[in-house]
Amino acid sequence: MGVAFGSNECCLRNLQIVPIGAIGQSSLMIDSFLVLIAAAFLLAGFVKGTLGLGLPTVAMGLLAVTMPPAQAIAIVIVPAIVTNIWQTFVGGYLRDILRRLWPLMVGTVIGIWLNGGMLTGPYAPYGTVVLGVLLVVYAIVGLNRFSFKVARHNEKWIGGIVGLVTGVISAATGVQVIPSMPFMQAIGMERDELVQALGVFFTVATIALALNITAAGLLTTATALPGAVAMAASFAGMFIGQALRSRMRPDVFRRWFLIAMIFLGLYLAGEALVKIW
């Protein structure tokens, strides 16, 4: 039977009834995947160029619609590191930032390191739920402009605790904005100093996260092409956002962006819970 089938297939192949080459579905899927990545990072880069932050948060939220957070963070991590390094050295506050924020950064690194298996372990399916909830919290905090104040003499110990919590959340979701960003706003940094501080902190946090996902086998040569597309799209989006920033009302854009994040977060959390149940 197997021999007969093999010979018949050969005859059919010669008659070109059975195509000799691949149909091309795999290539089409890869192309669609890269288009999705380019679109997500173009938007994420635009948000970062306009507001000065949000690239990993937006990219993770959009990519998580079609893939697990572990796969998404493997694509997000390199563009996030590169754009944050660029932001780190724009400004003259680096020494003061390191002096004030080192407990926050050390705590975040420890939190990420202690929870290295969160993205790939038995609790990984809950990562999308946490990510969705995190996006909603992030947006609500941003919309309400909660005014927290942390006294200068309490910065160190509160920063260490905030860092540990941020590290745990980052290890599970790949996002480091909660509660680190409200803390940095609460210690009374000037606007330009805060923008540079976000770059410094996110650089340290994403490098720590990169070590985690490399150890877990998620960051491989297979992510090189998607990462390159993400990088190019990120910088293109940042360039467009910076060019349009002076022509648009940032507060209006920020408000609608955060509202969109609420709906995206609710969708991600709801869909993930349905799959888990």
Side-chain angles (χ1 to χ4, degrees):
M1 175 73 72
V3 175
F5 177 79
S7 60
N8 288 338
E9 183 185 14
C10 177
C11 295
L12 291 173
R13 191 179 292 276
N14 291 335
L15 290 172
Q16 295 186 350
I17 296 175
V18 178
I20 296 175
I23 296 176
Q25 292 179 339
S26 177
S27 176
L28 182 60
M29 289 177 62
I30 293 174
D31 291 344
S32 301
F33 180 61
L34 294 179
V35 169
L36 169 66
I37 291 172
F41 279 88
L42 188 66
L43 178 58
F46 177 78
V47 171
K48 186 175 181 67
T50 305
L51 304 179
L53 72 160
L55 189 147
T57 307
V58 176
M60 283 293 298
L62 293 175
L63 292 180
V65 174
T66 58
M67 64 185 73
Q71 184 181 358
I73 191 58
I75 298 170
V76 170
I77 199 74
V78 174
I81 290 174
V82 173
T83 54
N84 284 323
I85 288 175
W86 170 80
Q87 188 173 332
T88 292
F89 296 100
V90 177
Y93 304 96
L94 183 58
R95 180 179 297 181
D96 189 53
I97 289 168
L98 293 175
R99 183 173 57 83
R100 296 181 68 181
L101 295 185
W102 70 263
L104 173 70
M105 292 186 282
V106 170
T108 300
V109 170
I110 293 173
I112 291 174
W113 178 69
L114 290 177
N115 296 275
M118 293 283 284
L119 281 171
T120 56
Y123 297 103
Y126 295 92
T128 304
V129 179
V130 176
L131 177 59
V133 173
L134 183 64
L135 290 176
V136 174
V137 172
Y138 167 75
I140 290 175
V141 169
L143 285 171
N144 287 277
R145 297 182 181 273
F146 292 123
S147 181
F148 301 106
K149 296 296 180 185
V150 175
R152 191 76 177 237
H153 62 275
N154 291 326
E155 283 183 12
K156 298 290 191 298
W157 69 269
I158 294 178
I161 295 172
V162 169
L164 282 171
V165 175
T166 301
V168 173
I169 293 174
S170 177
T173 66
V175 176
Q176 303 109 10
V177 293
I178 298 293
S180 62
M181 193 175 69
F183 169 77
M184 282 186 276
Q185 292 172 326
I187 62 177
M189 288 183 163
E190 298 295 332
R191 183 182 180 278
D192 291 340
E193 184 181 9
L194 177 60
V195 170
Q196 187 175 7
L198 291 170
V200 175
F201 171 74
F202 290 142
T203 296
V204 172
T206 48
I207 289 175
L209 191 59
L211 296 176
N212 261 17
I213 66 174
T214 300
L218 297 174
L219 195 61
T220 65
T221 54
T223 61
L225 179 58
V229 171
M231 183 87 68
S234 296
F235 278 103
M238 286 173 61
F239 176 78
I240 296 170
Q242 289 171 347
L244 295 179
R245 182 164 51 192
S246 60
R247 303 181 183 180
M248 62 190 309
R249 296 176 59 188
D251 288 344
V252 175
F253 174 78
R254 183 175 181 273
R255 182 167 61 251
W256 285 108
F257 157 70
L258 291 172
I259 291 172
M261 286 296 100
I262 291 177
F263 285 107
L264 177 60
L266 291 173
Y267 171 77
L268 288 175
E271 184 186 44
L273 284 173
V274 168
K275 290 180 179 178
I276 291 171
W277 291 337

